[in-house]
């Protein structure tokens, strides 16, 4: 379990950044990412959900990205996280979900982020990307 100290919080944020981007780039499966996400406390999972929602916002996800991501996530399209991410504009209040919804929210967020980031890597960053998180080495 992750504690609540600022050092633990920084470690969790760094680990989340790596895991989420590995899933987005196909270097780690969504199931592996979900297993990693399940380990922290509910407070830690809320922090990760806020972080990944921020990534999704920065990736400028679209409703189409939301629909494609939900289809990849394995979460029902009628589940709260699926409905929220497919709205136009998407809603990002995933950290406020009860603990029993965290895994579904994570799967949806990471899947949608993966769709949007793949699009961005293939368009905006193609051939000249200096973003370290777009150039992760294979595991």
């Amino acid at each position: 379990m992750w504690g609540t100290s600022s050092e633990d919080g920084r470690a969790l944020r760094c680990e989340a950044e790596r895991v989420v981007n590995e899933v987005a780039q196909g270097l780690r499966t969504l199931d592996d990412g979900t297993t990693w996400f399940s380990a922290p406390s509910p407070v830690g999972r809320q922090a990760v959900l806020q972080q990944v929602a921020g990534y999704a916002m920065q990736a400028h996800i679209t409703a189409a990205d939301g629909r494609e991501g939900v289809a990849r996530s394995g979460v029902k399209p009628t589940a709260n996280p699926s409905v929220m991410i497919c709205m136009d504009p998407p809603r990002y209040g995933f950290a406020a979900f009860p603990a029993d919804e965290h895994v579904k929210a994570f799967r949806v967020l990471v899947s949608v982020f993966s769709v949007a980031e793949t699009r961005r890597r293939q368009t905006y960053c193609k051939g000249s990307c200096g973003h370290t998180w777009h150039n992760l080495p294979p595991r």
Side-chain angles (χ1 to χ4, degrees), residues 70-139:
V70 167
R72 291 181 184 187
S73 74
V75 176
K76 291 181 181 178
T78 56
N80 286 334
S82 301
V83 171
M84 285 175 57
I85 206 72
C86 290
M87 295 176 102
D88 192 13
R91 304 299 189 271
Y92 295 101
F94 297 96
F97 284 150
D100 64 341
E101 296 256 343
H102 286 174
V103 169
K104 287 189 267 187
F106 178 80
R107 291 184 68 89
V108 166
L109 272 173
V110 172
S111 296
V112 173
F113 172 70
S114 296
V115 170
E117 273 298 282
T118 298
R119 176 177 36 80
R120 290 177 65 80
R121 282 193 311 274
Q122 293 172 347
T123 55
Y124 301 111
C125 290
K126 189 173 185 169
S128 63
C129 183
H131 298 122
T132 57
W133 59 91
H134 283 171
N135 296 294
L136 296 176
R139 291 180 52 187

Side-chain angles (χ1 to χ4, degrees), residues 22-50:
E22 285 176 353
V23 172
Q25 293 177 38
L27 302 173
R28 180 187 292 249
T29 67
L30 179 58
D31 287 340
D32 288 343
T34 301
T35 298
W36 170 85
F37 174 76
S38 297
S41 69
V43 171
R45 290 193 305 267
Q46 286 176 314
V48 171
L49 290 172
Q50 286 178 320

